[in-house]
Amino acid sequence: MSQPLGAYEGVVGGAVMRQLRNLGDKLKGLRVVHVNSTREGGGVAEILDWMITLMRDVGLDTAWEVIHGTTPFFEVTKSFHNGLQGKAVYLSQKDWRTYWDVNQENAERLRPILEDAHLVFIHDPQPAALIELCPNRKGKWIWRAHIDISRPYHPVWRGLRAYAEKYDASIFSMAEFAQPLPHPQFLVPPSIDPLSDKNVDLTPAEIESVRGEYGLDPDRPLLVQISRFDRFKDPVGVIQAYREVRKVSPVQLVLAGGGATDDPEGKQIFEEVLEAADKDPDIHVLLLPPNAHRTINALQRLADIVIQKSTKEGFGLTVTEALWKGKPVIGGDTGGIRLQVINYYTGFLVNTPEGAAHRIRWLLHHRDRIPEMGKVARDYVREYYLLTRHLREYLTLMLSVLSGVQHRVIQV
Ligand code: UDP
């Protein structure tokens, strides 16, 4: 359940509140619609949950619409996702047709609200074709890409770029992801909600009850990776790193994740992870329901070290969540993880399972550095990656788009 804006004053201070309210006053009453492809599971849903509440709170008439898709559609869009993140995937004419047809069905339902809005935010590729299907749109349309699109597989990007080009602006999480597009591009990294069930402080009793529920040993170090079961999150690489570390330290590992309704690959990857875990009683592979926010919160707090060994990552909210809980993160040296993990300060960037194992061993050997880095990590998130900064940047870019600014790449 998202909180009203005033609830964050205790975390970020009164000046930030005033700035947001002032920006909101300039946009009051505008009709804003966000569209994505799932209401739960994954980072986009996590962000939209609070963003809708806060945009409404500062005076915008904001709606969140979710497109409906079939299994073949989500298989195609997962291929888009994989292709944009650099994997060579083949898409047939039929696949592109499936994509178009499902967007068309959704356009029939959503056209009145979308064409009438002053601002429409379309998140990721799944609903990107809606722009062509709303020819009488009155407002400005912004495409928000959440994934690492720095080195896309070109046949896929070529197909999607045809839609992306039609937008009035686009948003990427970092400069490396920006693309040659004929409109202003804004750079806005994501953020977390410090008061959500996922991140709010928990009592020691609640944390301990999660430890008991999953049979975790309080006397041995715990490594945790929370992620959808997705190959780019490299859960099998995490198991390899754990095995290296086990040769010298009796660590335990939690790999926890659930599915997202727009990600059909999860089941297969989950099976691969179970096979790699090979019934090791110290590897806890947990398939969590979509509302397991407090459980994830507790697991992140129980961890000595959090891992996010992705080989591609748009941003990695799980990294931000862990840093906020004062945990150093061993993260894949890729995408948005590079914005968050700073070697020897907030964690370590790694490229291989061996590299991850090396850094885990280093931290376990220098135990006093864990809380020291954890403190830096929390301060770093407070400074850069809380939702109030994110909201401010969205409000600023909305003003800029509505006023027709024509710069090409804008860091707000
Ligand atoms: N998450 C969750 N349940 C899971 C796995 C992940 O609630 O089983 C959350 C996680 O805590 C984070 C988001 O989903 O808030 C994942 O965002 P991230 O940017 O790390 O990755 P994405 O899934 O968007 O690629």
Side-chain angles (χ1 to χ4, degrees):
M1 189 60 191
S2 303
Q3 307 283 328
L5 184 60
Y8 297 92
E9 182 159 350
V11 187
V12 296
V16 171
M17 294 293 124
R18 281 191 294 282
Q19 189 188 30
L20 290 171
R21 296 237 177 256
N22 286 340
L23 281 167
D25 286 345
K26 296 188 188 8
L27 295 160
K28 232 181 195 80
L30 290 189
R31 285 185 301 281
V32 179
V33 186
H34 290 267
V35 184
N36 82 324
S37 59
T38 177
R39 212 166 278 281
E40 53 194 17
V44 182
E46 199 82 21
I47 290 166
L48 288 179
D49 200 33
W50 61 258
M51 188 172 279
I52 302 306
T53 305
L54 294 196
M55 282 192 170
R56 283 181 186 154
D57 204 343
V58 297
L60 301 168
D61 178 359
T62 315
W64 175 7
E65 300 292 343
V66 175
I67 59 163
H68 305 154
T70 54
T71 303
F73 172 77
F74 287 124
E75 278 163 5
V76 170
T77 59
K78 182 69 196 210
S79 293
F80 287 174
H81 179 98
N82 291 339
L84 291 179
Q85 296 210 136
K87 190 171 169 206
V89 289
Y90 172 72
L91 288 159
S92 64
Q93 290 286 343
K94 184 163 166 266
D95 292 335
W96 287 102
R97 186 84 229 164
T98 302
Y99 175 65
W100 177 259
D101 288 348
V102 168
N103 268 271
Q104 193 155 35
E105 283 158 27
N106 281 281
E108 299 306 324
R109 183 171 56 89
L110 298 174
R111 198 172 282 121
I113 184 173
L114 294 179
E115 288 191 337
D116 196 40
H118 296 104
L119 278 155
V120 175
F121 288 88
I122 299 288
H123 294 262
D124 282 337
Q126 297 90 333
L130 286 174
I131 191 160
E132 278 216 18
L133 293 153
C134 294
N136 299 319
R137 53 188 183 276
K138 290 203 197 84
K140 300 282 187 190
W141 282 51
I142 301 170
W143 186 54
R144 198 326 176 195
H146 291 269
I147 47 194
D148 178 346
I149 195 178
S150 53
R151 299 172 130 237
Y153 178 61
H154 275 278
V156 174
W157 174 232
R158 246 197 321 275
L160 286 169
R161 195 179 52 201
Y163 300 116
E165 282 174 354
K166 302 223 152 44
Y167 284 76
D168 298 295
S170 49
I171 308 176
F172 297 93
S173 294
M174 56 196 294
E176 286 80 346
F177 302 169
Q179 292 292 327
L181 286 167
H183 57 227
Q185 298 181 52
F186 294 86
L187 305 178
V188 182
S191 64
I192 57 161
D193 175 353
L195 301 183
S196 68
D197 278 344
K198 183 68 60 62
N199 297 308
V200 74
D201 287 347
L202 300 178
T203 62
E206 185 169 357
I207 298 171
E208 285 310 313
S209 85
V210 170
R211 196 197 302 272
E213 188 180 337
Y214 293 108
L216 304 172
D217 181 350
D219 297 324
R220 289 187 291 139
L222 179 64
L223 312 174
V224 170
Q225 173 161 305
I226 310 285
S227 278
R228 286 181 297 106
F229 288 99
D230 178 310
R231 223 167 252 125
F232 286 121
K233 311 281 184 184
D234 199 14
V236 172
V238 176
I239 292 177
Q240 288 165 0
Y242 153 89
R243 292 228 158 90
E244 283 292 310
V245 178
R246 267 300 281 239
K247 291 177 186 163
V248 293
S249 170
V251 285
Q252 316 161 79
L253 172 65
V254 165
L255 281 172
T261 50
D262 59 351
D263 179 2
E265 259 180 12
K267 196 167 173 311
Q268 186 193 338
I269 313 290
F270 179 71
E271 302 292 334
E272 288 174 22
V273 170
L274 284 183
E275 197 181 322
D278 196 22
K279 299 200 170 67
D280 180 333
D282 284 323
I283 302 179
H284 303 261
V285 183
L286 312 179
L287 195 56
L288 299 175
N291 59 354
H293 303 301
R294 294 183 86 92
T295 303
I296 290 173
N297 185 340
L299 289 169
Q300 289 166 329
R301 289 176 194 281
L302 285 166
D304 291 277
I305 300 166
V306 169
I307 305 176
Q308 188 57 57
K309 217 207 88 40
S310 309
T311 54
K312 285 278 178 179
E313 190 64 75
F315 184 67
L317 284 179
T318 50
V319 174
T320 335
E321 290 158 8
L323 298 176
W324 179 243
K325 289 161 190 124
K327 306 295 170 175
V329 173
I330 312 275
D333 185 5
T334 186
I337 298 179
R338 289 186 182 144
L339 293 175
Q340 306 187 67
V341 174
I342 299 162
N343 282 334
Y344 291 99
Y345 288 94
T346 63
F348 291 101
L349 291 170
V350 298
N351 289 292
T352 58
E354 295 73 24
H358 172 71
R359 293 310 197 178
I360 295 165
R361 281 197 304 260
W362 189 90
L363 277 170
L364 293 176
H365 195 67
H366 299 85
R367 292 291 302 212
D368 50 331
R369 293 300 304 275
I370 293 181
E372 278 173 27
M373 287 168 82
K375 180 170 180 331
V376 175
R378 184 168 168 101
D379 290 344
Y380 191 65
V381 173
R382 190 191 304 282
E383 180 80 20
Y384 296 109
Y385 297 121
L386 293 185
L387 77 188
T388 39
R389 185 273 309 155
H390 196 170
L391 178 64
R392 186 190 71 227
E393 293 183 344
Y394 263 60
L395 297 176
T396 315
L397 79 83
M398 285 157 75
L399 282 169
S400 158
V401 169
L402 288 169
S403 71
V405 167
Q406 280 307 318
H407 305 304
R408 281 294 173 249
V409 177
I410 303 165
Q411 178 107 49
V412 285

